[in-house]
Amino acid sequence: MDKWGIALFTLRDELAKDFKGTLAKVKEIGYAGVEFAGFGGHSASEIKAMLEEVGLEAWSSHVPLAQLRESLDDVLAYHKEVGVQYIVCPYLTPEERQAKDDYLELAKDLETIGNACKEAGIGFCYHNHDFELQTFDGEYALDLLLSQTTEEHVQLECDTYWVEFAGVDAKRYMNQYTGRVPMVHLKDMKATDKSFAEVGEGTLDIKDIIQAGKEAGARYFFVEQDICERSPLESISISFNNIQRLS
C-alpha cells in the first residue's frame, strides 16, 4: 500500500498553536510521513519523541539556504538526531536568482552542501518553484542547477504544481530526471485563476502525475497547499481521501 506525506508548511498556523496536537491530527487523517518547514523552537530530542509517540516518519525537512550556508554542521546534527531522511533547499529570494551567474554560484554551494549531507547519511534535494523554469541562454535555470551538480549529491524534489504553473509538463519533466527525483510535491490548480486547490479538486492530472513520479523513482509524495480557503486540516483531509481514490 502506498504511503503519503504532508508538507507541514501547509499547517504552519496550526503548528504554531499546537505542534504535537497538529502532528497527531495529521496521523489521524492517514498520513504516514511529514516534511518539516521549521521545528517550532523544539529541540531535536523533543521532535523525535513527538514523532515516535504520534507514529509519523520524518521523511524530509525544508531548511533555508542561508542556514545551509552558514550553520550546516548544526543543521546536520539536529536533523540526524531527529532522523530526517532528506534535507531540502526550499526557496531562493529574488536577489539570489537575478542572473545565470547566480545559479552557477548556487550550484557550487549546493554541491558542497549535498556532499556534507551525504557524509552525514542524509539525502539532499533542491525544491523548485516556477521561477527556475525561466531560461538563460535557452536553458531552464533548474536544468542549469542540475547539470552543474552531481546526482550523487543534489537531487530534485519536484513541485509538480509550480512546474505546471510555469507552462511545463510535470510528467515529462520528471521523466527527464528519472533516478534523480526521490520526492514529489502534489498540489492542484484551480481552472479559474491557477490558484491552489485541494489535490484532486483542480485541473491537474494527479493520477498520471503520481504514476510519472513513481516511474521517475520517487519514494515520497507530499501533499502541500500553500494557501487554503477552508481549514488547512480539512483541506489536507480532502486531498488525502482523493489521493486514495486516484491511486
Side-chain angles (χ1 to χ4, degrees):
M1 188 175 75
D2 292 323
K3 297 195 298 184
W4 309 100
I6 184 70
L8 291 175
F9 178 74
T10 308
L11 303 173
R12 54 200 178 275
D13 293 338
E14 287 72 18
L15 288 162
K17 295 171 195 163
D18 182 2
F19 205 97
K20 183 180 167 186
T22 301
L23 292 179
K25 288 173 183 174
V26 165
K27 178 66 176 180
E28 283 169 21
I29 290 168
Y31 290 97
V34 293
E35 177 173 76
F36 290 98
F39 297 95
H42 296 286
S43 69
S45 59
E46 288 170 339
I47 294 291
K48 185 175 183 180
M50 287 183 208
L51 292 172
E52 288 175 353
E53 186 175 337
V54 169
L56 287 169
E57 298 170 359
W59 292 348
S60 177
S61 173
H62 280 199
V63 181
L65 178 58
Q67 209 174 329
L68 292 171
R69 281 172 164 159
E70 294 161 16
S71 51
L72 185 56
D73 288 346
D74 291 341
V75 168
L76 291 173
Y78 187 104
H79 285 73
K80 197 159 187 177
E81 185 175 348
V82 171
V84 174
Q85 296 185 42
Y86 284 88
I87 287 173
V88 182
C89 176
Y91 181 71
L92 302 178
T93 65
E95 297 73 35
E96 291 168 332
R97 49 181 160 93
Q98 294 290 313
K100 182 176 181 178
D101 282 348
D102 293 332
Y103 284 98
L104 292 174
E105 286 303 312
L106 174 62
K108 293 177 188 174
D109 286 350
L110 294 181
E111 182 71 14
T112 300
I113 294 163
N115 180 55
C117 287
K118 186 182 180 193
E119 288 179 354
I122 299 172
F124 179 63
C125 288
Y126 181 85
H127 164 271
N128 66 279
H129 287 77
D130 60 324
F131 51 75
E132 294 93 346
L133 279 304
Q134 68 175 309
T135 57
F136 294 99
D137 299 325
E139 185 176 16
Y140 291 136
L142 188 52
D143 289 336
L144 191 65
L145 279 180
L146 293 170
S147 69
Q148 296 296 312
T149 54
T150 63
E151 183 177 332
E152 182 184 12
H153 295 142
V154 182
Q155 297 185 298
L156 173 65
E157 179 178 54
C158 187
D159 190 310
T160 53
Y161 169 95
W162 287 117
V163 174
E164 295 276 351
F165 188 93
V168 178
D169 186 298
K171 300 183 292 295
R172 265 184 269 162
Y173 197 81
M174 287 189 288
N175 177 259
Q176 181 183 333
Y177 288 103
T178 295
R180 202 173 178 178
V181 188
M183 299 191 293
V184 171
H185 270 201
L186 296 173
K187 305 179 187 175
D188 216 334
M189 184 185 295
K190 289 185 182 178
T192 48
D193 58 0
K194 294 174 81 172
S195 64
F196 305 103
E198 286 75 20
V199 176
E201 301 288 318
T203 62
L204 299 186
D205 189 348
I206 299 299
K207 184 174 182 179
D208 283 358
I209 285 172
I210 291 170
Q211 184 58 35
K214 289 179 178 177
E215 289 171 2
R219 295 173 59 208
Y220 301 122
F221 290 82
F222 296 101
V223 165
E224 184 180 41
Q225 191 168 341
D226 298 34
I227 299 168
C228 304
E229 292 184 354
R230 45 170 61 90
S231 152
L233 284 162
E234 184 183 352
S235 287
I236 70 165
S237 183
I238 292 168
S239 292
F240 183 83
N241 291 332
N242 285 341
I243 284 175
Q244 297 295 297
R245 174 176 52 81
L246 290 167
S247 61

